[in-house]
Amino acid sequence: MNKSQNYITGQWIEGTGEGVPMFDAVTGEVVALSDTEGLDFAEILQYGREKGNALRKMTFQERGNMLKKLALYLTKRKDAFYELSYRTGATKVDSWIDIEGGFGNLFANASLRKLFPNQSYHVEGDPIDLSRGGRFMAHHIMVPKKGVAVHINAFNFPVWGMLEKCAVNWMAGVPAVVKPATNTAFLTEAVVKEIIASNILPEGALQLITGSARSILDTVQSQDVVTFTGSAVTGRLLKSHSQIINESVPFNMEADSLNASVLGEDAVPGTPEFDIFIKEVRKEMTVKAGQKCTAIRRVIVPENLIEDVQIALGKALDKVTIGDPRLKEVRMGALVGKDQVTEVKECVEEIAKTAQLVYGHLTDVNVIGADAKKGAFLSPILLREDRPFENMAVHEREAFGPVSTIMPYKNLDEAITLAQMGKGSLVSSITTNNDRIAKDYVVNAASHHGRILVLNRESAKESTGHGSPLPSLTHGGPGRAGGGEEMGGMRGIKHYLQRTAIQGSPTTLTEITGIYQANAKYKEAEQHPFKYHWEDIQPGMSLKTHKRTFTDTDIINFANLTWDHFYAHTDITSLDGSIFEKRTAHGYFIISAAAGLFVYPNKGPVSANYGLEDCRFLRPLYHNDTVYVRLTCKQKVDRDVAGAEHPSGIVKWFVEVFDANDELVAIATILTMVQKKQETFVEMTEEKIQECLNKLTANMKPKWGRMSPQHMVEHLEYTYRIASGEIQDFEIKTPEKILEKVYNSLYNYDKMPHDHMFPLAEASKIEELKSDNLEEAIIKLNKARNSYLEYFKENPDATLKNVVFGDLNRYEWYLLERKHLNHHFEQFNLL
């Protein structure tokens, strides 16, 4: 029998013991043996701390791009994970939530890089002035903790459970040690093997322990973070570990909870809301066979509707087919194992001491395509507790399977009280089309729930559902739910960062934070700041402009142009009792005039105005007032470029408007889109092309591909004949659905892929040499290139078809030429 492997200290290692069997939930067969005997957990944690330096040094942008690359890599390999997921008892839908939901967490957290600075640490909040003179101030920075994230995960989501946590700690710059639940660790192992094989993460960023690790908390340290997902009982035991307490180790607990779903009094049979409610409860009972920490355990309904709900739910559950999760007709698979079935039955029996079992059976279950005796199958179970204020088992015992209990309420206050009697949950929901009811429930129940979903006819079609935590929202809850928080966008990342208050002068804090702080010393730019590319602009880089005097005519013309005829600008007879003394310049005229003073008129790296932030007018400006501007780089923010534009970043400029007496009269932060340097490709001038061709000899071997030097030259000649319009009798080969994306790639600075087959290879007879020798081929190439240049000189507005990129104009053919020549000249070491 194969043993599962642990990925620790940079290698795949098997334990030295006999191993513990992991079972197929459907057939009962042994999948593999889990073994961690002989592993040194102290060494594993220390390895992560030491190797984690590579991850900590990466910027948020680099970490985010790393996550995105990993998500794409795993998505291409997802089919193999589905096959293993079926062995955990999960259906295709269940597996999709786990597998692609996990990858979705990588994508979602990758996108958060846009909210962080382009450096390895975060600057939080606004600066704080600690002095009257503005020369002593404070700011908060958040740096990656220098420990490891120890994740102790539950069995129900072996992929999502790992990636929803790791995505967050990796974005923060902290490595992870993952300890999945043993019975489904074989699926986690398969995903980790692909992650390690990808070489996308720096070494040490991820370690995996696929079995028992009872002593793993014995050597955690204050810089580590421990997260736990599982039962509340086990969570409390781990949270009270002496090392956790002695080292003050952050411990995030997400425990199973008795989540409640409420049917509003208005949602009577016949309304869309009643049907939505029944569908949602059925789904939460049967998805993952009810093995979700967010599943609906308590169904709280108006007492006059309890019979209707019971009947409707029974009919809905009748449609749920149980069996081999590989079969399309199966809607609910098996529980994770027979031990889990036994545990669920014991919990049901405890609740049923006061509640009535109204649907399902604890021993009989009809299955499709499987043997009910060999697999861990269980019928959906619906109970009814008519006295929920007296009988506490329903609020205290959780059957972690396809089990829910209906209970009645007389009014909304009772419904809220019942929801709170679970003593804290991850999620609650209410289905109502009455927004007053929704507000009353949410406001009064929120103290006991980590998330509340309001469902009605308007939101239901697009709702992600009661049981679906989202990467952008906090996942956790108070009390029984563990009191922790996971995910939650930026909030989740901050759990792995140390917040530190920094005090000092504005100049010093500018250097520390990478953000220009008001009153810091300026760094006078050697040339106009708008002449610099994004990489060369630095916070503090500054320009002082010449002066301008506002005239009465300026103000009147601006009013006429904008139709802004506010009295202070146009009616000087109405100024009595106002804060204005005479005709006043419009605030937006001041900003516009400031732009006129600092904008560089010529074409350059600044490609567009991107927006305006934090605009303040500190005192009125009147006609005949004179101003000048101080333009200073405040901050740089990286950005993704998806369309037909060159790579660029955002620069935030701090604009200070001063009057003739050097008094500050207005401030604003303006944003510009600034192009990044193109340093990937050599510019293909006539001289450079001939220099490369002169180096080319017939016996040169390519670095990749099968082309000979003459094949390469003749291929280039053929593509120039396309670019000159001589050859246009072909169809665009790129599928329409991705053509725009491929076309847009002309504008990026990425090299062409190696070994990509030219779509017109057969039409161009690329394998056949057409010239007698290389020298003759080069002559034909130069002639074809001259024809291309001459065509666009005579037809500057023309577009010509390209087989891969679609219709291209003159500039886009230039971009393609640069990429294409660089690709093939590099292929033969000519650059």
Side-chain angles (χ1 to χ4, degrees):
M1 177 58 62
N2 292 332
K3 277 188 178 181
S4 64
Q5 292 184 307
N6 308 279
Y7 186 74
I8 55 172
T9 61
Q11 54 193 323
W12 287 100
I13 294 176
E14 289 184 3
T16 57
E18 294 183 2
V20 177
M22 295 182 279
F23 296 99
D24 186 311
V26 179
T27 66
E29 298 171 343
V30 176
V31 177
L33 299 176
S34 166
D35 186 12
T36 58
E37 191 168 325
L39 271 56
D40 186 333
F41 297 120
E43 180 186 12
I44 293 168
L45 298 187
Q46 187 58 27
Y47 180 84
R49 296 182 195 113
E50 292 173 358
K51 288 291 185 179
N53 201 40
L55 189 61
R56 287 191 290 270
K57 286 184 176 180
M58 295 172 69
T59 68
F60 281 101
Q61 315 307 318
E62 290 169 336
R63 295 176 202 142
N65 287 323
M66 174 186 76
L67 261 61
K68 183 178 180 181
K69 186 176 180 181
L70 181 60
L72 291 168
Y73 178 90
L74 292 174
T75 299
K76 292 178 181 178
R77 292 156 177 81
K78 64 184 180 182
D79 290 345
F81 305 141
Y82 274 91
E83 286 304 313
L84 278 177
S85 182
Y86 293 136
R87 307 195 75 174
T88 71
T91 65
K92 182 69 177 287
V93 172
D94 299 338
S95 301
W96 180 86
I97 296 169
D98 184 29
I99 295 168
E100 296 185 55
F103 302 163
N105 265 276
L106 293 174
F107 281 119
N109 279 277
S111 67
L112 295 178
R113 68 192 182 276
K114 305 166 190 175
L115 304 179
F116 288 93
N118 190 36
Q119 51 196 25
S120 61
Y121 54 94
H122 179 50
V123 182
E124 184 184 50
D126 296 322
I128 303 163
D129 187 2
L130 301 176
S131 66
R132 293 183 179 180
R135 298 299 173 185
F136 183 58
M137 61 167 295
H139 219 146
H140 290 85
I141 66 169
M142 301 188 75
V143 300
K145 290 180 179 289
K146 293 195 173 181
V148 292
V150 180
H151 299 312
I152 303 169
N153 293 338
F155 66 78
N156 50 344
F157 289 102
V159 181
W160 182 90
M162 171 178 65
L163 294 181
E164 62 100 358
K165 294 177 180 177
C166 285
V168 177
N169 63 252
W170 288 334
M171 268 301 292
V174 175
V177 176
V178 175
K179 193 276 174 228
T182 301
N183 41 10
T184 56
F186 58 86
L187 177 52
T188 312
E189 178 192 1
V191 176
V192 172
K193 281 189 172 178
E194 286 292 354
I195 292 174
I196 300 303
S198 74
N199 290 316
I200 293 171
L201 300 179
E203 175 52 42
L206 175 61
Q207 296 183 85
L208 174 70
I209 299 167
T210 58
S212 176
R214 295 186 182 279
S215 62
I216 194 169
L217 299 185
D218 291 353
T219 57
V220 292
Q221 299 176 4
S222 59
Q223 286 288 307
D224 299 330
V225 177
V226 177
T227 73
F228 168 78
T229 301
S231 75
V233 173
T234 304
R236 286 193 292 268
L237 184 66
L238 296 177
K239 194 173 184 178
S240 62
H241 192 288
S242 60
Q243 190 71 1
I244 296 287
I245 296 170
N246 294 338
E247 288 281 319
S248 298
V249 179
F251 188 98
N252 190 86
M253 177 174 163
E254 187 262 281
D256 309 330
S257 57
L258 291 155
N259 311 296
S261 187
V262 178
L263 180 66
E265 294 175 277
D266 61 305
V268 297
T271 65
E273 283 68 33
F274 184 88
D275 296 337
I276 290 165
F277 180 79
I278 298 299
K279 182 179 179 180
E280 192 71 12
V281 174
R282 181 193 66 181
K283 181 178 73 173
E284 290 303 315
M285 286 181 66
T286 57
V287 167
K288 292 290 287 186
Q291 299 169 115
K292 290 169 57 183
C293 56
T294 52
I296 295 171
R297 303 300 178 199
R298 297 177 299 150
V299 184
I300 303 173
V301 302
E303 62 179 4
N304 63 314
L305 299 180
I306 195 164
E307 295 290 343
D308 297 292
V309 170
Q310 179 180 320
I311 293 169
L313 265 178
K315 290 179 178 178
L317 291 169
D318 282 340
K319 298 176 182 178
V320 176
T321 49
I322 306 167
D324 186 341
R326 295 173 180 82
L327 301 177
K328 291 181 179 180
E329 61 268 32
V330 168
R331 293 293 174 265
M332 190 177 96
L335 274 67
V336 73
K338 290 193 173 182
D339 289 346
Q340 186 64 24
V341 173
T342 300
E343 185 176 323
V344 171
K345 288 180 178 179
E346 289 174 354
C347 290
V348 171
E349 288 169 352
E350 185 67 24
I351 298 169
K353 287 179 180 178
T354 58
Q356 179 184 0
L357 198 156
V358 295
Y359 185 90
H361 201 280
L362 286 177
T363 56
D364 295 336
V365 56
N366 295 319
V367 300
I368 301 173
D371 188 333
K373 294 181 180 179
K374 292 181 179 179
F377 295 101
L378 181 67
S379 162
I381 301 291
L382 185 65
L383 298 112
R384 172 171 163 173
E385 175 56 79
D386 289 325
R387 295 190 293 174
F389 289 98
E390 300 174 24
N391 301 320
M392 293 297 106
V394 72
H395 305 300
E396 295 173 351
R397 294 299 301 268
E398 180 184 21
F400 201 73
V403 181
S404 290
T405 304
I406 309 173
M407 60 193 73
Y409 72 86
K410 289 184 174 65
N411 52 54
L412 190 61
D413 287 342
E414 280 199 357
I416 293 167
T417 300
L418 287 171
Q420 293 172 344
M421 288 173 71
K423 296 183 179 180
S425 78
L426 297 172
V427 57
S428 180
S429 59
I430 181 167
T431 305
T432 176
N433 199 39
N434 185 313
D435 290 337
R436 180 191 57 78
I437 292 175
K439 178 182 177 180
D440 285 349
Y441 181 78
V442 168
V443 172
N444 290 290
S447 60
H448 285 61
H449 308 290
R451 174 169 58 90
I452 297 180
L453 167 69
V454 180
L455 276 174
N456 60 23
R457 66 194 72 182
E458 184 179 354
S459 64
K461 287 185 178 180
E462 297 183 12
S463 169
T464 50
H466 172 104
S468 299
L470 298 174
S472 56
L473 303 180
T474 185
H475 178 47
R480 180 191 172 100
E485 287 188 353
E486 293 176 6
M487 304 191 297
M490 287 184 71
R491 296 182 192 88
I493 293 170
K494 289 180 180 181
H495 289 314
Y496 299 91
L497 301 173
Q498 174 60 47
R499 180 182 291 104
T500 304
I502 307 297
Q503 296 170 281
S505 72
T507 302
T508 300
L509 264 63
T510 293
E511 293 301 315
I512 292 173
T513 62
I515 300 174
Y516 176 78
Q517 310 289 345
N519 297 314
K521 293 178 182 177
Y522 303 116
K523 300 174 184 177
E524 298 292 345
E526 294 182 3
Q527 57 182 347
H528 195 288
F530 283 17
K531 288 185 176 182
Y532 292 97
H533 284 86
W534 190 79
E535 294 88 344
D536 294 330
I537 298 171
Q538 298 302 323
M541 179 181 285
S542 186
L543 169 75
K544 181 180 178 180
T545 72
H546 55 279
K547 296 179 179 179
R548 172 177 177 172
T549 300
F550 297 159
T551 68
D552 207 51
T553 303
D554 287 335
I555 299 170
I556 293 171
N557 285 343
F558 192 84
N560 291 332
L561 178 65
T562 62
W563 293 7
D564 178 354
H565 296 290
F566 185 64
Y567 77 93
H569 314 309
T570 56
D571 184 6
I572 58 175
T573 65
S574 299
L575 300 181
D576 291 346
S578 72
I579 63 171
F580 307 108
E581 298 173 3
K582 29 185 186 177
R583 189 185 305 281
T584 307
H586 302 68
Y588 294 115
F589 171 62
I590 297 171
I591 295 300
S592 299
L597 289 169
F598 66 68
V599 165
Y600 183 71
N602 297 349
K603 184 178 181 179
V606 174
S607 56
N609 181 341
Y610 199 70
L612 178 69
E613 294 179 346
D614 304 328
C615 184
R616 297 290 184 273
F617 306 111
L618 306 180
R619 76 160 178 83
L621 286 174
Y622 306 116
H623 63 89
N624 296 328
D625 278 349
T626 299
V627 300
Y628 70 91
V629 175
R630 171 66 75 168
L631 178 74
T632 307
C633 172
K634 180 178 181 179
Q635 185 180 6
K636 294 164 60 180
V637 180
D638 211 344
R639 68 184 288 263
D640 292 334
V641 175
E645 59 177 283
H646 292 301
S648 63
I650 301 303
V651 178
K652 295 185 177 184
W653 301 94
F654 186 49
V655 177
E656 299 169 282
V657 182
F658 296 91
D659 65 12
N661 299 317
D662 298 325
E663 179 184 345
L664 187 64
V665 294
I667 57 173
T669 300
I670 67 129
L671 285 64
T672 59
M673 190 184 300
V674 183
Q675 283 187 15
K676 296 180 179 180
K677 287 180 178 178
Q678 191 291 107
E679 297 179 314
T680 304
F681 305 114
V682 177
E683 286 299 329
M684 286 293 115
T685 61
E686 177 67 26
E687 293 74 18
K688 190 63 183 180
I689 293 172
Q690 297 311 315
E691 176 190 323
C692 292
L693 292 175
N694 289 337
K695 293 180 184 177
L696 192 65
T697 60
N699 60 353
M700 282 183 168
K701 301 297 182 185
K703 292 164 64 177
W704 64 83
R706 295 179 297 148
M707 280 185 171
S708 69
Q710 186 171 334
H711 279 117
M712 182 267 287
V713 170
E714 292 184 357
H715 166 63
L716 292 178
E717 179 216 348
Y718 186 84
T719 58
Y720 273 123
R721 290 167 64 196
I722 294 174
S724 68
E726 179 185 341
I727 299 173
Q728 287 283 289
D729 56 342
F730 56 83
E731 298 296 324
I732 297 170
K733 299 296 184 181
T734 303
E736 184 68 30
K737 65 180 180 180
I738 64 168
L739 179 59
E740 182 179 6
K741 182 179 180 180
V742 173
Y743 163 81
N744 291 341
S745 71
L746 284 174
Y747 286 81
N748 66 34
Y749 301 154
D750 298 336
K751 293 182 179 181
M752 286 183 162
H754 295 175
D755 300 318
H756 179 71
M757 179 59 69
F758 179 49
L760 294 179
E762 185 176 341
S764 65
K765 298 181 179 179
I766 197 169
E767 298 286 349
E768 301 176 14
L769 293 177
K770 300 164 189 65
S771 298
D772 291 337
N773 52 54
L774 177 61
E775 291 72 19
E776 181 183 324
I778 290 175
I779 292 171
K780 291 181 179 178
L781 166 63
N782 286 325
K783 182 179 178 182
R785 182 171 188 270
N786 288 334
S787 296
Y788 147 70
L789 296 174
E790 189 64 28
Y791 176 83
F792 278 106
K793 183 178 180 180
E794 295 175 359
N795 305 278
D797 298 324
T799 60
L800 288 173
K801 187 169 50 176
N802 177 273
V803 66
V804 174
F805 299 96
D807 294 325
L808 306 181
N809 61 29
R810 178 171 63 172
Y811 181 68
E812 289 157 352
W813 276 107
Y814 150 74
L815 294 176
L816 177 55
E817 178 192 31
R818 185 174 69 183
K819 278 198 175 195
H820 197 208
L821 292 185
N822 269 264
H823 174 77
H824 286 296
F825 288 171
E826 184 181 344
Q827 183 183 20
F828 285 90
N829 281 312
L830 302 176
L831 293 175

